Amino acid sequence: MNNNLFESAKKVIPGGVNSPVRAFKSVGGTPVFIKRAEGSFIYDEHDRKYLDYCLSWGALILGHANAEVVEAIKVTADKGTNFGTATKREVQFANLIVDAILSIEKVRLVNSGTEAVMSAVRLARAYTGKNKILKFEGAYHGHSDCLLAKSGSGITDLSVPDTQGVPYDFTKHTLIAPFNNIAKVKQIVSYYKDDLAAVIVEPVMANCGVVLPEKGFLEFLRSIDNTVLIFDEVITGFRLCYGGAQDFFGIKPDLTCLGKIIGGAMPVGAFGGRADIMDMLAPEGNVYQAGTLSGNPIAVSAGMASLKILKKNDLYKKITKTADKLCSGIKKIAENTGIKLQINQIGSIFSIFYRE
Ligand SMILES: *Cc1c(COP(=O)(O)O)cnc(C)c1O
């Protein structure tokens, strides 16, 4: 049945999926079509049961169909699904975020992590009056044009588009450095400092497989002058600890991007930070950013219910312990069977690299 479904999906959806990674292309096999889920288990159209280690890329930190989150969604839906006006709930949610994330004084809600990053970059450029941004090799920050860039020829630090459909002109302001390479970042910063608007970094590289920041690296990024430091905490926010990676490492960025967990697996993203920067957004300032469904009541309710649970019950020790156990088990099996692998782990975030 999966195969039939996949065949019919491919007729009407490019590649049969609405996000490329779901097609299983890099690991083989055909996509699994999921019908329902509960806790840590998902069930496919054949009623086959799977243990879900992915949990919507971390968005479902509370597991599937958490009773309190589902209840919040239902209660809210009964009263209308979107108003296109301001709501009290958005103010309460913003307060939860501002209280949770140390560096966030003001926050704006969007619908995805992509939107959060795209808007934060625009804001940083407006604030500094500069054009260039520095990102790190391999880091994924969503699918907006200027961030789908990869290293160029190696002769310059300038990048090239990492997809068809993005003009070279759109990525020419995106610089790329290897993560953890202070010397290279220093070199780029000193060369481009007059035009460097922002440094954007996942404080723990998590989307591309886990790479931890070496001691002093984030501190060094924080010390760069006249440039906006953006933490992409779409994965690490509310994941490493309630206050995110910035609380975990004790480093305050200027702007922070959030997604995944913040919406309780409904479409929510957010970006926030220093009030003087955030106040440049329309209608207070002249940096345009908008969204028909931004602050959507149902999505915000799901996010709020999730954050309240995370705040009330300190789950982080527990999930770290679980991940420790899983990782040491995997390592033991690998040793016993002679499989060479490397596990990078921090808190509940880990990934396996099949090499020494
Ligand atoms: C998932 C992710 C994004 C993009 O978020 P979407 O909601 O998929 O648009 C951006 N940055 C990081 C680090 C992510 O993991």
Side-chain angles (χ1 to χ4, degrees):
M1 191 196 213
N2 261 349
N3 272 333
N4 291 344
L5 251 182
F6 186 44
E7 288 312 312
S8 50
K10 279 195 287 191
K11 289 191 183 123
V12 285
I13 302 172
V17 291
N18 279 313
S19 197
V21 70
R22 295 177 198 170
F24 286 21
K25 279 220 163 159
S26 42
V27 290
T30 50
V32 182
F33 284 75
I34 299 302
K35 177 160 81 169
R36 68 187 174 91
E38 205 185 328
S40 53
F41 293 104
I42 50 177
Y43 300 84
D44 71 11
E45 289 286 345
H46 293 291
D47 290 315
R48 271 187 303 230
K49 185 179 181 183
Y50 304 79
L51 180 55
D52 184 1
Y53 287 103
C54 184
L55 293 166
S56 281
W57 280 263
L60 285 158
I61 191 169
L62 299 170
H64 290 279
N66 175 278
E68 283 170 61
V69 177
V70 171
E71 180 62 17
I73 291 171
K74 284 179 178 165
V75 167
T76 308
D78 273 341
K79 294 177 181 156
T81 55
N82 200 55
F83 310 126
T85 67
T87 59
K88 183 166 96 183
R89 197 179 284 107
E90 288 163 89
V91 186
Q92 295 168 332
F93 193 40
N95 270 302
L96 260 181
I97 297 168
V98 167
D99 289 344
I101 311 288
L102 223 66
S103 69
I104 298 187
E105 293 168 354
K106 289 194 174 183
V107 62
R108 182 159 281 178
L109 298 181
V110 291
N111 305 290
S112 68
T114 296
E115 262 188 85
V117 173
M118 186 179 84
S119 308
V121 166
R122 181 178 301 159
L123 198 49
R125 284 175 163 153
Y127 182 78
T128 56
K130 303 180 194 177
N131 296 304
K132 297 222 168 350
I133 56 168
L134 173 64
K135 71 174 284 249
F136 294 95
E137 232 166 66
Y140 180 69
H141 297 293
H143 68 273
S144 64
D145 284 350
C146 74
L147 287 154
L148 282 184
K150 63 180 176 192
S151 300
S153 61
I155 296 166
T156 72
D157 305 306
L158 302 180
S159 63
V160 297
D162 199 12
T163 170
Q164 284 185 8
V166 173
Y168 276 77
D169 279 351
F170 286 25
T171 54
K172 75 176 183 197
H173 293 304
T174 307
L175 306 164
I176 298 182
F179 191 65
N180 278 330
N181 189 331
I182 292 181
K184 185 68 194 174
V185 176
K186 263 188 186 156
Q187 190 191 334
I188 291 175
V189 168
S190 75
Y191 192 80
Y192 293 100
K193 63 178 180 298
D194 294 337
D195 201 25
L196 189 61
V199 174
I200 179 161
V201 65
E202 261 195 290
V204 171
M205 293 266 266
N207 197 299
C208 63
V210 179
V211 183
L212 307 191
E214 279 167 16
K215 214 167 166 19
F217 183 64
L218 297 175
E219 286 81 354
F220 163 69
L221 297 183
R222 178 62 285 180
S223 74
I224 298 169
D225 288 330
N226 301 317
T227 296
V228 174
L229 179 61
I230 305 173
F231 272 10
D232 180 345
E233 294 225 43
V234 170
I235 287 182
T236 56
F238 301 100
R239 174 73 183 268
L240 273 185
C241 61
Y242 188 68
Q246 52 197 270
D247 188 14
F248 194 92
F249 294 111
I251 299 193
K252 254 171 121 170
D254 301 303
L255 294 176
T256 300
C257 304
L258 296 164
K260 298 197 167 87
I261 291 176
I262 203 186
M266 290 287 279
V268 183
F271 63 104
R274 278 168 43 190
D276 60 329
I277 304 179
M278 291 301 290
D279 280 339
M280 291 190 73
L281 280 176
E284 194 83 5
N286 294 320
V287 180
Y288 196 71
Q289 185 278 327
T292 303
L293 297 176
S294 294
N296 172 268
I298 298 177
V300 168
S301 296
M304 230 165 34
S306 302
L307 296 198
K308 280 182 180 164
I309 295 169
L310 289 171
K311 190 179 174 185
K312 198 171 62 198
N313 322 295
D314 191 5
L315 298 173
Y316 296 98
K317 272 197 194 102
K318 186 183 158 198
I319 59 176
T320 298
K321 248 189 173 166
T322 310
D324 287 347
K325 193 173 164 190
L326 181 59
C327 290
S328 61
I330 293 170
K331 273 183 208 156
K332 216 169 278 162
I333 292 169
E335 275 163 26
N336 292 344
T337 51
I339 297 170
K340 303 210 183 321
L341 56 76
Q342 197 51 250
I343 302 185
N344 286 359
Q345 184 206 349
I346 183 167
S348 66
I349 312 174
F350 72 92
S351 74
I352 303 170
F353 297 93
Y354 286 93
R355 57 182 298 172
E356 287 186 61

